[in-house]
Amino acid sequence: MNNQPKYSYEPKGHKWVVYEWEYCGNTQSGTKVYESSDREQARKECFRLNGWKYKEPTLVKEIIYKSNVHFEHMPGWLKFVVITNINPRMNVSVTNEVEVLNQMRDEIAETIRGQKVRVPVRVEVREDEGERALLIMRSGRGLVSVYVKEQKRNNELYK
């Protein structure tokens, strides 16, 4: 007997489709049984059809960053900051947003000082309408912004 699930979900264009699979030896064929524009709805239906316990994804605060400069065009010091100070904090749960952003600000400023960057660079945490962001700016132009955002995370896949 095959230990593959009877139902699975996969993206198809801009939709998510749940397939029912039939296995005959090494051959499998799938029949579409459900379609949704929402991935989580397709996942939920797939779990229901397979008889698995579905658990709602939890909201977790994580560090997100955006850059106005493509990585290949970043100056070396900024690439170093992204690699050493920002990337290690990605996909890590954040409990105290203010503390994390202030700590990152201090660490990034120290890294930049250590790189002996010739052009003045400012690293600051700003708040606008209750939203906080850490900004790395050079000559008044924002290069990188770092902020905390709630993300859905599925901690358990098959329960």
Side-chain angles (χ1 to χ4, degrees), residues 13-159:
H14 297 291
K15 303 274 186 180
W16 287 87
V17 177
V18 176
Y19 292 99
E20 178 181 15
W21 295 100
E22 293 200 21
Y23 302 93
C24 183
N26 292 333
T27 309
Q28 64 181 5
S29 62
T31 305
K32 180 170 70 169
V33 294
Y34 181 81
E35 184 176 302
S36 175
S37 59
D38 181 14
R39 177 183 186 187
E40 199 55 35
Q41 287 300 320
R43 180 176 178 269
K44 190 174 189 175
E45 181 64 7
C46 178
F47 272 54
R48 185 188 72 75
L49 291 169
N50 279 313
W52 298 334
K53 183 179 175 186
Y54 173 79
K55 187 175 179 181
E56 291 285 339
T58 56
L59 288 176
V60 178
K61 288 185 175 184
E62 296 179 335
I63 295 290
I64 305 294
Y65 89 96
K66 292 185 180 178
S67 176
N68 292 328
V69 183
H70 201 273
F71 191 79
E72 286 81 31
H73 300 293
M74 284 182 182
W77 64 267
L78 187 54
K79 285 181 183 177
F80 188 73
V81 165
V82 169
I83 291 168
T84 60
N85 297 100
I86 298 174
N87 284 349
R89 296 209 185 230
M90 305 292 288
N91 301 318
V92 176
S93 296
V94 173
T95 54
N96 187 332
E97 178 180 344
V98 174
E99 182 181 310
V100 167
L101 291 177
N102 286 334
Q103 183 179 10
M104 286 183 72
R105 177 198 59 210
D106 297 342
E107 291 172 1
I108 290 170
E110 184 64 32
T111 299
I112 292 170
R113 276 192 294 277
Q115 293 292 307
K116 298 181 175 131
V117 179
R118 294 183 187 146
V119 179
V121 176
R122 287 192 358 237
V123 183
E124 59 187 58
V125 175
R126 288 189 183 172
E127 185 173 342
D128 184 25
E129 297 179 13
E131 299 287 322
R132 287 180 196 82
L134 177 127
L135 303 171
I136 302 173
M137 298 178 292
R138 181 180 65 192
S139 304
R141 179 175 172 235
L143 300 175
V144 173
S145 58
V146 178
Y147 55 97
V148 176
K149 183 177 181 184
E150 283 189 339
Q151 304 279 59
K152 285 185 180 178
R153 184 183 288 172
N154 295 318
N155 294 327
E156 299 177 40
L157 293 178
Y158 306 108
K159 293 257 175 163

